[in-house]
Amino acid sequence: MITMKDIIRDGHPALRKRAKEVPVPLTKEDRELLLDMLEFLENSQDPHLAEQYDLRAGVGLAAPQLNISKRMFAVLIEDDDGNEYRYGLANPKIVSHSVKKAYLTSGEGCLSVDENIPGYVPRYDKITITGIDHNGNEVKLRLRGLVSIVFQHEYDHLNGVMFYDHIDEKDPFAPIPNSKPIGDEE
């Protein structure tokens, strides 16, 4: 079982490296890693288990955050309509995106970053992403809003990019042109 002790923290060099492609078909080990990452997210969102194992709640986790240089991440989140997005993806690729941007009004957080870093993180409002799921199937997802933001955050980890790299250093809360603010209530 993955716990917070397994997650490397900001400043670790592995978080700044581009992760390596995963051989396909997926090995048993890689399938198990995707399932373990999904299990962590499920456990972290369960108040009882999160308290029992001292887990911070998360909606996404990337292999580089476990000091594993593989292009793999897991996401577990619901959209505004209550649709669950539960995916462990290998070799994800963003194949298209909107011109319009979106950002979380509360800013973003990260399981690898212990402090709160305030500021708007501009992301694409809509993306289409492809990848191989934990069962070895090719998937193509069209995502928008909060779900799109979460997938982009995890995708960045595969390229050695941290969420705060996108924040305007001079004015962290500068208006983002052609964008949709997404509030805490979503």
Side-chain angles (χ1 to χ4, degrees), residues 46-109:
D46 178 309
H48 175 71
L49 291 173
E51 184 178 349
Q52 182 179 351
Y53 295 107
D54 195 26
L55 306 176
R56 277 178 37 207
V59 291
L61 180 64
Q65 292 178 273
L66 301 170
N67 198 16
I68 299 171
S69 181
K70 292 185 176 184
R71 296 188 73 75
M72 301 167 69
F73 66 68
V75 169
L76 178 60
I77 190 168
E78 279 188 7
D79 66 14
D80 297 339
D81 300 323
N83 299 309
E84 183 181 75
Y85 292 80
R86 182 187 187 275
Y87 287 94
L89 293 180
N91 300 333
K93 288 185 178 59
I94 295 175
V95 294
S96 67
H97 60 78
S98 62
V99 172
K100 188 172 186 168
K101 303 280 187 167
Y103 64 93
L104 299 179
T105 56
S106 59
E108 290 184 24

Side-chain angles (χ1 to χ4, degrees), residues 79-154:
D79 66 14
D80 297 339
D81 300 323
N83 299 309
E84 183 181 75
Y85 292 80
R86 182 187 187 275
Y87 287 94
L89 293 180
N91 300 333
K93 288 185 178 59
I94 295 175
V95 294
S96 67
H97 60 78
S98 62
V99 172
K100 188 172 186 168
K101 303 280 187 167
Y103 64 93
L104 299 179
T105 56
S106 59
E108 290 184 24
C110 180
L111 292 168
S112 291
V113 179
D114 292 327
E115 71 273 13
N116 179 36
I117 300 178
Y120 296 150
V121 180
R123 302 279 188 190
Y124 300 115
D125 182 40
K126 296 178 184 170
I127 62 168
T128 300
I129 192 166
T130 60
I132 308 295
D133 73 10
H134 61 272
N135 292 317
N137 301 314
E138 288 187 32
V139 294
K140 182 177 187 176
L141 304 169
R142 288 179 178 81
L143 309 168
R144 64 181 174 84
L146 176 61
V147 177
S148 171
I149 287 171
V150 171
F151 274 77
Q152 289 173 77
H153 177 113
E154 298 312 321

